Each structure stands twice: as structure tokens, then as C-alpha cells.
Amino acid sequence: MFFENTLCLRCNEKVGFDPDTFTMGPVGDRKLCRNGIDYDVCNWLVTESDSDYCLSCSLNHTIPNLLEPNRRRWWKSLEHAKRRLIYSLMSLGLPIVSKQASEDGLAFQFIEDKRTNPSVFEEHVSTGHHNGLITINIAEADEVSREITRQYTGELYRTLLGHFRHESGHYYFHRLIEGQGREQEFRDLFGDERQDYGAALESYYANKSTMTKDPALISHYAQAHPLEDWAEVWSHYLHMVDTLDTASHYNMQQGSTHWDDIDELLVKWSDLSMMLNALNRSMGLEDAYPFTLSEASLRKLRFVHGLIYPS
């Protein structure tokens, strides 16, 4: 079964993912998330006896207006990506607390602006993070719109899951670095995050079309600000461990579910990403991982790893 399956095609049983055991299996007499029952957008089981929602859906602050055309389909895609993120965070043992339970918790809002729906209030909704609330413009769930944006911005990689992983990096900066005595180590690698964020982004977008990518950075957007460099590296770390985990479940020698050795992970990731790109090219597709990791990027990935697996 795939991670998103809701039905076993062999026995025709309803299936779901159990976050407590990290297994897919028959729903049986267990409780399926209400968003799966009512809207068919979730396949996780509920693990809290006093809740109707699974861990992932309990983090929702705002969902799309389902009376609007296509919004349920977009929402389903958003939830698929979010559950991939939550799975990775759980696998890494990272803290996941809802904002309903704590001010320092995590929440998600999926909203749109007048560019896709003239009847809404917001003129412009940017995908981003603020104080634990991750906002995703739901137009990102429309494949045509996202591809147009990808071509316009010249981004090599732009996916829903990439957005979730990137924005989660901003959240975990506050949880793992800020106030934890790791600020100077961060600045030695990424730069001073205290520089004016708004001015830095304004300058980046004003000059992006003529800006040559710094080969030491992991992506073009990483040049915008030290915090964006961090979020890009964080998302790449999640790309790596989740894909290695998947490869391991398919019994590939390049896969791994043991992530305490960063050097082993990086070697396996180099082999696996080359294989993925070669397979994609065999199918006439673009590279799955169109990035080259510099020595500076590798040092930053090791820093991320050290925060999650302190020695």
C-alpha cells in the first residue's frame, strides 16, 4: 500500500495510517479521522480518545471554503503534503504541539486571495510562517498555477511538500536554535538572522532576475536572507531522510531508517538522488533532485542533523 491509500485493492478493506505504530492497516473498529469520514481528505487514525481528528488534522487552523469549486480537491492535496511533513517530524522525534494546547505550538491555515477568488477579503496571501502559524496559499495546490509560478520564478523545485517542509524550518528555528544557545553557531554558518528581513526580501525580489546563484548555497532562494537559507537547508534535510526512509521500505540498499550517522546518510543520499535523477530521465521527466550540494551546504546539513541528534 501507498502512504495515501484508503482502501486495500486486494481485500477491499478500508485502511488507514496509525501514528502510534507507524503502520498502515485495516481501520476495523478503530476510529478514522473525521476529515476522512466527512470529506475523504485524510486516512489517519485518531489516537486521542477525546478527539475526532487525527494528529495532523488537529493542527488545522483554517481550511479552504469547500463551497467553492475545486477547493476540496486542493484541500486533499494540501492534507496529503502536510501528513508527509508530520510523519517526518514524528520520525525524527521533533516536538509537535498544537497551538490550541500551547502558545508555542504549531498550526496551519489554508487560505486564498482575490487572484483566485474575487469574493474573499485578502488581496494577497503569501505562503509563510509567523509565530507557529504556517500559511499556505491554496493556489499552490493547483498544479497549473504552481507550474506557471515555478517557471516565472525560475525555481528548479516547487512542490506543495517543499512548501510545508520549508515553512516548518522557520518554526523549528525558534524551537531548536533561538534561545537555546545555538545562535552564534548558526550565524557562523548562515549569517546574521537579525538583519532586516523585510528589506532583504524586497532586495532579493527586486534583483532576482539578474542575480547569479551563489554556488555555495543550496538554492537560489537561500540567498534572500539567512533565515531563508536555513529553511531551505532544513527542507532539504527532510527531503533526504524521508526519501531514504521510503527507499528502505522498498528494500533498497541505498535506503535507511537509522539516521544517527550523518556521514552515512549523506553517502546514501548521494547514491539515491543520482539514481532518482537517472530514473526520471529514463521516463523523460525532469530531475527529481535538481541540486548539487556544496561543502558549505553539507556543513549546514550536518548542523541541522546535530540539532536533531545531539552527540
Side-chain angles (χ1 to χ4, degrees), residues 138-182:
I138 66 170
E140 290 289 343
D142 177 50
E143 293 180 357
V144 174
S145 174
R146 188 171 66 250
E147 179 59 21
I148 291 171
T149 303
R150 189 179 76 87
Q151 293 291 339
Y152 176 75
T153 58
E155 296 178 359
L156 297 175
Y157 178 92
R158 188 183 184 95
T159 67
L160 273 180
L161 183 52
H163 283 309
F164 277 98
R165 286 173 173 162
H166 176 98
E167 299 306 334
S168 75
H170 290 298
Y171 172 68
Y172 283 100
F173 173 84
H174 296 290
R175 295 299 301 263
L176 300 177
I177 298 174
E178 196 173 46
Q180 304 299 316
R182 307 299 293 264

mmCIF file of all heavy atoms in Angstrom, residues 138-182:
data_model
loop_
_atom_site.group_PDB
_atom_site.id
_atom_site.type_symbol
_atom_site.label_atom_id
_atom_site.label_comp_id
_atom_site.label_asym_id
_atom_site.label_seq_id
_atom_site.Cartn_x
_atom_site.Cartn_y
_atom_site.Cartn_z
ATOM 1 N N ILE A 138 -3.728 28.468 -1.027
ATOM 2 C CA ILE A 138 -4.245 27.214 -1.581
ATOM 3 C C ILE A 138 -4.075 27.121 -3.093
ATOM 4 O O ILE A 138 -4.205 26.028 -3.661
ATOM 5 C CB ILE A 138 -5.712 26.976 -1.194
ATOM 6 C CG1 ILE A 138 -6.633 28.029 -1.827
ATOM 7 C CG2 ILE A 138 -5.875 26.951 0.305
ATOM 8 C CD1 ILE A 138 -8.109 27.684 -1.658
ATOM 9 N N ALA A 139 -3.765 28.245 -3.761
ATOM 10 C CA ALA A 139 -3.489 28.182 -5.199
ATOM 11 C C ALA A 139 -2.276 27.308 -5.489
ATOM 12 O O ALA A 139 -2.126 26.796 -6.605
ATOM 13 C CB ALA A 139 -3.268 29.580 -5.762
ATOM 14 N N GLU A 140 -1.407 27.114 -4.479
ATOM 15 C CA GLU A 140 -0.255 26.237 -4.654
ATOM 16 C C GLU A 140 -0.689 24.790 -4.891
ATOM 17 O O GLU A 140 0.095 23.981 -5.381
ATOM 18 C CB GLU A 140 0.662 26.311 -3.433
ATOM 19 C CG GLU A 140 1.389 27.625 -3.279
ATOM 20 C CD GLU A 140 2.481 27.834 -4.329
ATOM 21 O OE1 GLU A 140 2.888 26.851 -4.972
ATOM 22 O OE2 GLU A 140 2.917 28.984 -4.503
ATOM 23 N N ALA A 141 -1.924 24.458 -4.513
ATOM 24 C CA ALA A 141 -2.425 23.096 -4.725
ATOM 25 C C ALA A 141 -2.956 22.890 -6.138
ATOM 26 O O ALA A 141 -3.270 21.761 -6.524
ATOM 27 C CB ALA A 141 -3.526 22.780 -3.713
ATOM 28 N N ASP A 142 -3.052 23.971 -6.906
ATOM 29 C CA ASP A 142 -3.469 23.871 -8.302
ATOM 30 C C ASP A 142 -2.215 23.668 -9.148
ATOM 31 O O ASP A 142 -1.349 24.545 -9.219
ATOM 32 C CB ASP A 142 -4.205 25.143 -8.722
ATOM 33 C CG ASP A 142 -4.594 25.110 -10.188
ATOM 34 O OD1 ASP A 142 -5.176 24.107 -10.628
ATOM 35 O OD2 ASP A 142 -4.294 26.096 -10.895
ATOM 36 N N GLU A 143 -2.103 22.523 -9.791
ATOM 37 C CA GLU A 143 -0.867 22.164 -10.482
ATOM 38 C C GLU A 143 -0.511 23.136 -11.605
ATOM 39 O O GLU A 143 0.661 23.452 -11.815
ATOM 40 C CB GLU A 143 -0.971 20.741 -11.029
ATOM 41 C CG GLU A 143 -1.046 19.679 -9.928
ATOM 42 C CD GLU A 143 -1.152 18.278 -10.487
ATOM 43 O OE1 GLU A 143 -1.226 18.136 -11.719
ATOM 44 O OE2 GLU A 143 -1.148 17.323 -9.692
ATOM 45 N N VAL A 144 -1.521 23.615 -12.322
ATOM 46 C CA VAL A 144 -1.249 24.536 -13.428
ATOM 47 C C VAL A 144 -0.718 25.861 -12.889
ATOM 48 O O VAL A 144 0.303 26.395 -13.354
ATOM 49 C CB VAL A 144 -2.514 24.767 -14.277
ATOM 50 C CG1 VAL A 144 -2.261 25.847 -15.329
ATOM 51 C CG2 VAL A 144 -2.946 23.468 -14.948
ATOM 52 N N SER A 145 -1.391 26.387 -11.868
ATOM 53 C CA SER A 145 -0.961 27.648 -11.260
ATOM 54 C C SER A 145 0.439 27.528 -10.678
ATOM 55 O O SER A 145 1.287 28.434 -10.845
ATOM 56 C CB SER A 145 -1.950 28.057 -10.159
ATOM 57 O OG SER A 145 -1.496 29.192 -9.470
ATOM 58 N N ARG A 146 0.715 26.390 -10.009
ATOM 59 C CA ARG A 146 2.029 26.209 -9.391
ATOM 60 C C ARG A 146 3.131 26.102 -10.447
ATOM 61 O O ARG A 146 4.228 26.632 -10.270
ATOM 62 C CB ARG A 146 2.020 24.966 -8.506
ATOM 63 C CG ARG A 146 3.293 24.817 -7.672
ATOM 64 C CD ARG A 146 3.188 23.699 -6.639
ATOM 65 N NE ARG A 146 3.079 22.382 -7.232
ATOM 66 C CZ ARG A 146 1.992 21.623 -7.210
ATOM 67 N NH1 ARG A 146 0.886 22.058 -6.616
ATOM 68 N NH2 ARG A 146 1.986 20.424 -7.767
ATOM 69 N N GLU A 147 2.840 25.444 -11.555
ATOM 70 C CA GLU A 147 3.847 25.309 -12.605
ATOM 71 C C GLU A 147 4.122 26.656 -13.269
ATOM 72 O O GLU A 147 5.275 26.972 -13.587
ATOM 73 C CB GLU A 147 3.391 24.288 -13.651
ATOM 74 C CG GLU A 147 4.356 24.090 -14.803
ATOM 75 C CD GLU A 147 5.734 23.624 -14.389
ATOM 76 O OE1 GLU A 147 5.867 23.064 -13.279
ATOM 77 O OE2 GLU A 147 6.688 23.803 -15.169
ATOM 78 N N ILE A 148 3.069 27.460 -13.467
ATOM 79 C CA ILE A 148 3.278 28.797 -14.024
ATOM 80 C C ILE A 148 4.187 29.615 -13.096
ATOM 81 O O ILE A 148 5.117 30.292 -13.544
ATOM 82 C CB ILE A 148 1.927 29.511 -14.238
ATOM 83 C CG1 ILE A 148 1.150 28.838 -15.377
ATOM 84 C CG2 ILE A 148 2.132 30.994 -14.518
ATOM 85 C CD1 ILE A 148 -0.273 29.334 -15.527
ATOM 86 N N THR A 149 3.912 29.531 -11.794
ATOM 87 C CA THR A 149 4.726 30.250 -10.820
ATOM 88 C C THR A 149 6.155 29.733 -10.816
ATOM 89 O O THR A 149 7.120 30.504 -10.719
ATOM 90 C CB THR A 149 4.125 30.120 -9.407
ATOM 91 O OG1 THR A 149 2.776 30.595 -9.423
ATOM 92 C CG2 THR A 149 4.923 30.922 -8.396
ATOM 93 N N ARG A 150 6.318 28.419 -10.922
ATOM 94 C CA ARG A 150 7.658 27.834 -10.940
ATOM 95 C C ARG A 150 8.464 28.334 -12.134
ATOM 96 O O ARG A 150 9.636 28.690 -12.014
ATOM 97 C CB ARG A 150 7.567 26.305 -10.987
ATOM 98 C CG ARG A 150 8.907 25.609 -10.794
ATOM 99 C CD ARG A 150 8.758 24.089 -10.834
ATOM 100 N NE ARG A 150 8.590 23.614 -12.194
ATOM 101 C CZ ARG A 150 9.599 23.311 -13.014
ATOM 102 N NH1 ARG A 150 10.853 23.452 -12.609
ATOM 103 N NH2 ARG A 150 9.374 22.878 -14.232
ATOM 104 N N GLN A 151 7.809 28.391 -13.292
ATOM 105 C CA GLN A 151 8.504 28.877 -14.483
ATOM 106 C C GLN A 151 8.823 30.363 -14.363
ATOM 107 O O GLN A 151 9.909 30.814 -14.736
ATOM 108 C CB GLN A 151 7.632 28.615 -15.729
ATOM 109 C CG GLN A 151 7.444 27.154 -16.063
ATOM 110 C CD GLN A 151 8.713 26.494 -16.556
ATOM 111 O OE1 GLN A 151 9.643 27.161 -17.012
ATOM 112 N NE2 GLN A 151 8.772 25.178 -16.463
ATOM 113 N N TYR A 152 7.876 31.128 -13.821
ATOM 114 C CA TYR A 152 8.060 32.575 -13.685
ATOM 115 C C TYR A 152 9.204 32.902 -12.723
ATOM 116 O O TYR A 152 10.001 33.814 -12.956
ATOM 117 C CB TYR A 152 6.767 33.212 -13.192
ATOM 118 C CG TYR A 152 6.872 34.695 -12.932
ATOM 119 C CD1 TYR A 152 6.917 35.615 -13.991
ATOM 120 C CD2 TYR A 152 6.936 35.186 -11.632
ATOM 121 C CE1 TYR A 152 7.027 36.975 -13.747
ATOM 122 C CE2 TYR A 152 7.046 36.537 -11.380
ATOM 123 C CZ TYR A 152 7.088 37.435 -12.442
ATOM 124 O OH TYR A 152 7.204 38.773 -12.186
ATOM 125 N N THR A 153 9.274 32.134 -11.613
ATOM 126 C CA THR A 153 10.302 32.409 -10.610
ATOM 127 C C THR A 153 11.622 31.736 -10.937
ATOM 128 O O THR A 153 12.644 32.029 -10.300
ATOM 129 C CB THR A 153 9.840 31.923 -9.225
ATOM 130 O OG1 THR A 153 9.546 30.519 -9.287
ATOM 131 C CG2 THR A 153 8.601 32.686 -8.767
ATOM 132 N N GLY A 154 11.621 30.830 -11.919
ATOM 133 C CA GLY A 154 12.839 30.121 -12.273
ATOM 134 C C GLY A 154 13.274 29.120 -11.220
ATOM 135 O O GLY A 154 14.461 28.770 -11.148
ATOM 136 N N GLU A 155 12.332 28.632 -10.409
ATOM 137 C CA GLU A 155 12.676 27.679 -9.358
ATOM 138 C C GLU A 155 12.784 26.270 -9.939
ATOM 139 O O GLU A 155 11.917 25.826 -10.685
ATOM 140 C CB GLU A 155 11.627 27.714 -8.246
ATOM 141 C CG GLU A 155 11.570 29.049 -7.521
ATOM 142 C CD GLU A 155 10.498 29.083 -6.443
ATOM 143 O OE1 GLU A 155 9.795 28.066 -6.283
ATOM 144 O OE2 GLU A 155 10.371 30.114 -5.785
ATOM 145 N N LEU A 156 13.842 25.573 -9.571
ATOM 146 C CA LEU A 156 14.036 24.218 -10.071
ATOM 147 C C LEU A 156 13.068 23.240 -9.431
ATOM 148 O O LEU A 156 12.695 22.228 -10.031
ATOM 149 C CB LEU A 156 15.481 23.770 -9.799
ATOM 150 C CG LEU A 156 16.581 24.567 -10.501
ATOM 151 C CD1 LEU A 156 17.952 24.091 -10.038
ATOM 152 C CD2 LEU A 156 16.454 24.443 -12.014
ATOM 153 N N TYR A 157 12.681 23.527 -8.205
ATOM 154 C CA TYR A 157 11.851 22.604 -7.442
ATOM 155 C C TYR A 157 10.785 23.413 -6.723
ATOM 156 O O TYR A 157 11.095 24.282 -5.908
ATOM 157 C CB TYR A 157 12.728 21.840 -6.439
ATOM 158 C CG TYR A 157 11.989 20.884 -5.541
ATOM 159 C CD1 TYR A 157 11.827 19.546 -5.902
ATOM 160 C CD2 TYR A 157 11.473 21.299 -4.330
ATOM 161 C CE1 TYR A 157 11.162 18.657 -5.073
ATOM 162 C CE2 TYR A 157 10.802 20.421 -3.493
ATOM 163 C CZ TYR A 157 10.649 19.097 -3.866
ATOM 164 O OH TYR A 157 9.978 18.219 -3.039
ATOM 165 N N ARG A 158 9.532 23.150 -7.023
ATOM 166 C CA ARG A 158 8.443 23.844 -6.334
ATOM 167 C C ARG A 158 7.289 22.857 -6.192
ATOM 168 O O ARG A 158 6.631 22.519 -7.172
ATOM 169 C CB ARG A 158 7.990 25.085 -7.102
ATOM 170 C CG ARG A 158 6.991 25.952 -6.320
ATOM 171 C CD ARG A 158 6.504 27.136 -7.143
ATOM 172 N NE ARG A 158 5.628 28.003 -6.386
ATOM 173 C CZ ARG A 158 6.006 29.103 -5.728
ATOM 174 N NH1 ARG A 158 7.272 29.469 -5.766
ATOM 175 N NH2 ARG A 158 5.143 29.840 -5.049
ATOM 176 N N THR A 159 7.074 22.376 -4.984
ATOM 177 C CA THR A 159 6.006 21.415 -4.706
ATOM 178 C C THR A 159 5.283 21.821 -3.433
ATOM 179 O O THR A 159 5.808 22.594 -2.624
ATOM 180 C CB THR A 159 6.563 19.991 -4.521
ATOM 181 O OG1 THR A 159 7.356 19.965 -3.315
ATOM 182 C CG2 THR A 159 7.417 19.547 -5.708
ATOM 183 N N LEU A 160 4.095 21.266 -3.255
ATOM 184 C CA LEU A 160 3.387 21.501 -2.001
ATOM 185 C C LEU A 160 4.202 21.017 -0.811
ATOM 186 O O LEU A 160 4.345 21.710 0.194
ATOM 187 C CB LEU A 160 2.035 20.785 -2.008
ATOM 188 C CG LEU A 160 0.846 21.509 -2.608
ATOM 189 C CD1 LEU A 160 -0.393 20.630 -2.516
ATOM 190 C CD2 LEU A 160 0.591 22.845 -1.912
ATOM 191 N N LEU A 161 4.733 19.815 -0.931
ATOM 192 C CA LEU A 161 5.513 19.265 0.175
ATOM 193 C C LEU A 161 6.743 20.119 0.456
ATOM 194 O O LEU A 161 7.113 20.324 1.618
ATOM 195 C CB LEU A 161 5.918 17.827 -0.153
ATOM 196 C CG LEU A 161 6.680 17.057 0.916
ATOM 197 C CD1 LEU A 161 5.962 17.097 2.257
ATOM 198 C CD2 LEU A 161 6.903 15.611 0.467
ATOM 199 N N GLY A 162 7.360 20.644 -0.590
ATOM 200 C CA GLY A 162 8.501 21.536 -0.397
ATOM 201 C C GLY A 162 8.123 22.769 0.403
ATOM 202 O O GLY A 162 8.890 23.222 1.271
ATOM 203 N N HIS A 163 6.936 23.334 0.136
ATOM 204 C CA HIS A 163 6.471 24.496 0.907
ATOM 205 C C HIS A 163 6.308 24.143 2.382
ATOM 206 O O HIS A 163 6.739 24.894 3.266
ATOM 207 C CB HIS A 163 5.137 24.997 0.361
ATOM 208 C CG HIS A 163 5.258 25.779 -0.909
ATOM 209 N ND1 HIS A 163 6.121 26.831 -1.069
ATOM 210 C CD2 HIS A 163 4.588 25.657 -2.094
ATOM 211 C CE1 HIS A 163 5.997 27.339 -2.284
ATOM 212 N NE2 HIS A 163 5.085 26.633 -2.919
ATOM 213 N N PHE A 164 5.665 23.012 2.656
ATOM 214 C CA PHE A 164 5.447 22.609 4.044
ATOM 215 C C PHE A 164 6.778 22.404 4.771
ATOM 216 O O PHE A 164 6.944 22.848 5.914
ATOM 217 C CB PHE A 164 4.624 21.320 4.092
ATOM 218 C CG PHE A 164 3.149 21.529 3.972
ATOM 219 C CD1 PHE A 164 2.507 21.377 2.751
ATOM 220 C CD2 PHE A 164 2.378 21.864 5.077
ATOM 221 C CE1 PHE A 164 1.139 21.569 2.635
ATOM 222 C CE2 PHE A 164 1.006 22.058 4.978
ATOM 223 C CZ PHE A 164 0.385 21.911 3.749
ATOM 224 N N ARG A 165 7.698 21.728 4.112
ATOM 225 C CA ARG A 165 8.983 21.474 4.764
ATOM 226 C C ARG A 165 9.758 22.765 4.995
ATOM 227 O O ARG A 165 10.356 22.961 6.058
ATOM 228 C CB ARG A 165 9.802 20.504 3.902
ATOM 229 C CG ARG A 165 9.282 19.079 3.976
ATOM 230 C CD ARG A 165 9.967 18.144 2.998
ATOM 231 N NE ARG A 165 9.554 16.761 3.223
ATOM 232 C CZ ARG A 165 9.701 15.774 2.359
ATOM 233 N NH1 ARG A 165 10.263 16.018 1.173
ATOM 234 N NH2 ARG A 165 9.296 14.551 2.643
ATOM 235 N N HIS A 166 9.747 23.660 4.013
ATOM 236 C CA HIS A 166 10.452 24.937 4.161
ATOM 237 C C HIS A 166 9.875 25.744 5.323
ATOM 238 O O HIS A 166 10.630 26.228 6.183
ATOM 239 C CB HIS A 166 10.343 25.732 2.858
ATOM 240 C CG HIS A 166 10.950 27.096 2.918
ATOM 241 N ND1 HIS A 166 12.210 27.380 2.455
ATOM 242 C CD2 HIS A 166 10.458 28.272 3.397
ATOM 243 C CE1 HIS A 166 12.481 28.660 2.649
ATOM 244 N NE2 HIS A 166 11.424 29.230 3.224
ATOM 245 N N GLU A 167 8.561 25.905 5.347
ATOM 246 C CA GLU A 167 7.956 26.740 6.389
ATOM 247 C C GLU A 167 8.111 26.116 7.766
ATOM 248 O O GLU A 167 8.231 26.836 8.765
ATOM 249 C CB GLU A 167 6.480 26.995 6.081
ATOM 250 C CG GLU A 167 6.224 27.730 4.765
ATOM 251 C CD GLU A 167 6.986 29.043 4.639
ATOM 252 O OE1 GLU A 167 7.318 29.652 5.677
ATOM 253 O OE2 GLU A 167 7.247 29.458 3.496
ATOM 254 N N SER A 168 8.136 24.793 7.840
ATOM 255 C CA SER A 168 8.363 24.157 9.144
ATOM 256 C C SER A 168 9.760 24.500 9.660
ATOM 257 O O SER A 168 9.988 24.546 10.878
ATOM 258 C CB SER A 168 8.187 22.644 9.046
ATOM 259 O OG SER A 168 9.282 22.013 8.404
ATOM 260 N N GLY A 169 10.696 24.747 8.735
ATOM 261 C CA GLY A 169 12.035 25.146 9.155
ATOM 262 C C GLY A 169 12.031 26.440 9.943
ATOM 263 O O GLY A 169 12.775 26.595 10.922
ATOM 264 N N HIS A 170 11.191 27.391 9.524
ATOM 265 C CA HIS A 170 11.095 28.652 10.271
ATOM 266 C C HIS A 170 10.572 28.401 11.682
ATOM 267 O O HIS A 170 11.028 29.018 12.651
ATOM 268 C CB HIS A 170 10.185 29.631 9.530
ATOM 269 C CG HIS A 170 10.762 30.153 8.259
ATOM 270 N ND1 HIS A 170 11.913 30.902 8.211
ATOM 271 C CD2 HIS A 170 10.345 30.032 6.968
ATOM 272 C CE1 HIS A 170 12.194 31.233 6.958
ATOM 273 N NE2 HIS A 170 11.256 30.708 6.181
ATOM 274 N N TYR A 171 9.619 27.494 11.798
ATOM 275 C CA TYR A 171 9.071 27.168 13.123
ATOM 276 C C TYR A 171 10.137 26.530 14.006
ATOM 277 O O TYR A 171 10.310 26.916 15.170
ATOM 278 C CB TYR A 171 7.870 26.226 12.961
ATOM 279 C CG TYR A 171 7.345 25.687 14.270
ATOM 280 C CD1 TYR A 171 6.712 26.522 15.191
ATOM 281 C CD2 TYR A 171 7.484 24.338 14.597
ATOM 282 C CE1 TYR A 171 6.231 26.025 16.391
ATOM 283 C CE2 TYR A 171 6.999 23.836 15.785
ATOM 284 C CZ TYR A 171 6.378 24.680 16.685
ATOM 285 O OH TYR A 171 5.901 24.184 17.877
ATOM 286 N N TYR A 172 10.873 25.567 13.459
ATOM 287 C CA TYR A 172 11.845 24.857 14.282
ATOM 288 C C TYR A 172 13.119 25.669 14.527
ATOM 289 O O TYR A 172 13.895 25.331 15.436
ATOM 290 C CB TYR A 172 12.156 23.484 13.692
ATOM 291 C CG TYR A 172 11.030 22.512 13.991
ATOM 292 C CD1 TYR A 172 10.074 22.209 13.035
ATOM 293 C CD2 TYR A 172 10.893 21.948 15.261
ATOM 294 C CE1 TYR A 172 9.017 21.351 13.322
ATOM 295 C CE2 TYR A 172 9.845 21.096 15.560
ATOM 296 C CZ TYR A 172 8.914 20.799 14.589
ATOM 297 O OH TYR A 172 7.859 19.968 14.893
ATOM 298 N N PHE A 173 13.324 26.745 13.770
ATOM 299 C CA PHE A 173 14.390 27.672 14.136
ATOM 300 C C PHE A 173 14.133 28.208 15.539
ATOM 301 O O PHE A 173 15.045 28.291 16.372
ATOM 302 C CB PHE A 173 14.483 28.822 13.141
ATOM 303 C CG PHE A 173 15.447 29.905 13.554
ATOM 304 C CD1 PHE A 173 16.800 29.781 13.284
ATOM 305 C CD2 PHE A 173 15.003 31.038 14.220
ATOM 306 C CE1 PHE A 173 17.707 30.771 13.677
ATOM 307 C CE2 PHE A 173 15.901 32.033 14.621
ATOM 308 C CZ PHE A 173 17.249 31.889 14.344
ATOM 309 N N HIS A 174 12.883 28.563 15.797
ATOM 310 C CA HIS A 174 12.531 29.101 17.118
ATOM 311 C C HIS A 174 12.578 28.021 18.199
ATOM 312 O O HIS A 174 12.906 28.311 19.354
ATOM 313 C CB HIS A 174 11.141 29.738 17.072
ATOM 314 C CG HIS A 174 11.054 30.922 16.156
ATOM 315 N ND1 HIS A 174 11.658 32.123 16.433
ATOM 316 C CD2 HIS A 174 10.449 31.082 14.956
ATOM 317 C CE1 HIS A 174 11.437 32.980 15.444
ATOM 318 N NE2 HIS A 174 10.709 32.372 14.539
ATOM 319 N N ARG A 175 12.281 26.788 17.836
ATOM 320 C CA ARG A 175 12.250 25.716 18.830
ATOM 321 C C ARG A 175 13.641 25.151 19.132
ATOM 322 O O ARG A 175 13.903 24.719 20.261
ATOM 323 C CB ARG A 175 11.344 24.570 18.335
ATOM 324 C CG ARG A 175 9.877 24.918 18.187
ATOM 325 C CD ARG A 175 9.236 25.341 19.506
ATOM 326 N NE ARG A 175 9.316 24.310 20.533
ATOM 327 C CZ ARG A 175 8.341 23.449 20.819
ATOM 328 N NH1 ARG A 175 7.213 23.470 20.119
ATOM 329 N NH2 ARG A 175 8.481 22.573 21.793
ATOM 330 N N LEU A 176 14.527 25.148 18.142
ATOM 331 C CA LEU A 176 15.804 24.449 18.303
ATOM 332 C C LEU A 176 17.012 25.365 18.421
ATOM 333 O O LEU A 176 18.063 24.932 18.912
ATOM 334 C CB LEU A 176 16.019 23.495 17.122
ATOM 335 C CG LEU A 176 14.972 22.405 16.916
ATOM 336 C CD1 LEU A 176 15.301 21.595 15.668
ATOM 337 C CD2 LEU A 176 14.865 21.498 18.131
ATOM 338 N N ILE A 177 16.900 26.609 17.962
ATOM 339 C CA ILE A 177 18.075 27.488 17.923
ATOM 340 C C ILE A 177 17.876 28.725 18.787
ATOM 341 O O ILE A 177 18.687 29.018 19.675
ATOM 342 C CB ILE A 177 18.393 27.904 16.466
ATOM 343 C CG1 ILE A 177 18.741 26.674 15.631
ATOM 344 C CG2 ILE A 177 19.528 28.924 16.437
ATOM 345 C CD1 ILE A 177 18.927 26.965 14.159
ATOM 346 N N GLU A 178 16.818 29.469 18.522
ATOM 347 C CA GLU A 178 16.593 30.729 19.222
ATOM 348 C C GLU A 178 16.398 30.490 20.712
ATOM 349 O O GLU A 178 15.537 29.719 21.130
ATOM 350 C CB GLU A 178 15.364 31.425 18.631
ATOM 351 C CG GLU A 178 15.251 32.884 19.001
ATOM 352 C CD GLU A 178 14.123 33.572 18.249
ATOM 353 O OE1 GLU A 178 13.022 32.999 18.195
ATOM 354 O OE2 GLU A 178 14.354 34.663 17.730
ATOM 355 N N GLY A 179 17.232 31.122 21.515
ATOM 356 C CA GLY A 179 17.133 30.959 22.955
ATOM 357 C C GLY A 179 17.686 29.653 23.478
ATOM 358 O O GLY A 179 17.566 29.345 24.670
ATOM 359 N N GLN A 180 18.314 28.875 22.600
ATOM 360 C CA GLN A 180 18.865 27.579 23.014
ATOM 361 C C GLN A 180 20.394 27.585 23.051
ATOM 362 O O GLN A 180 21.015 26.526 23.153
ATOM 363 C CB GLN A 180 18.384 26.488 22.045
ATOM 364 C CG GLN A 180 16.880 26.380 21.906
ATOM 365 C CD GLN A 180 16.205 26.052 23.216
ATOM 366 O OE1 GLN A 180 16.663 25.189 23.971
ATOM 367 N NE2 GLN A 180 15.105 26.745 23.515
ATOM 368 N N GLY A 181 20.980 28.767 22.917
ATOM 369 C CA GLY A 181 22.435 28.868 22.970
ATOM 370 C C GLY A 181 23.138 28.439 21.693
ATOM 371 O O GLY A 181 24.358 28.225 21.696
ATOM 372 N N ARG A 182 22.399 28.345 20.586
ATOM 373 C CA ARG A 182 22.998 27.917 19.320
ATOM 374 C C ARG A 182 23.077 29.057 18.308
ATOM 375 O O ARG A 182 23.414 28.822 17.138
ATOM 376 C CB ARG A 182 22.179 26.771 18.704
ATOM 377 C CG ARG A 182 21.910 25.583 19.613
ATOM 378 C CD ARG A 182 23.192 24.910 20.073
ATOM 379 N NE ARG A 182 23.922 24.260 19.000
ATOM 380 C CZ ARG A 182 23.827 22.958 18.716
ATOM 381 N NH1 ARG A 182 23.007 22.189 19.396
ATOM 382 N NH2 ARG A 182 24.553 22.431 17.741
#
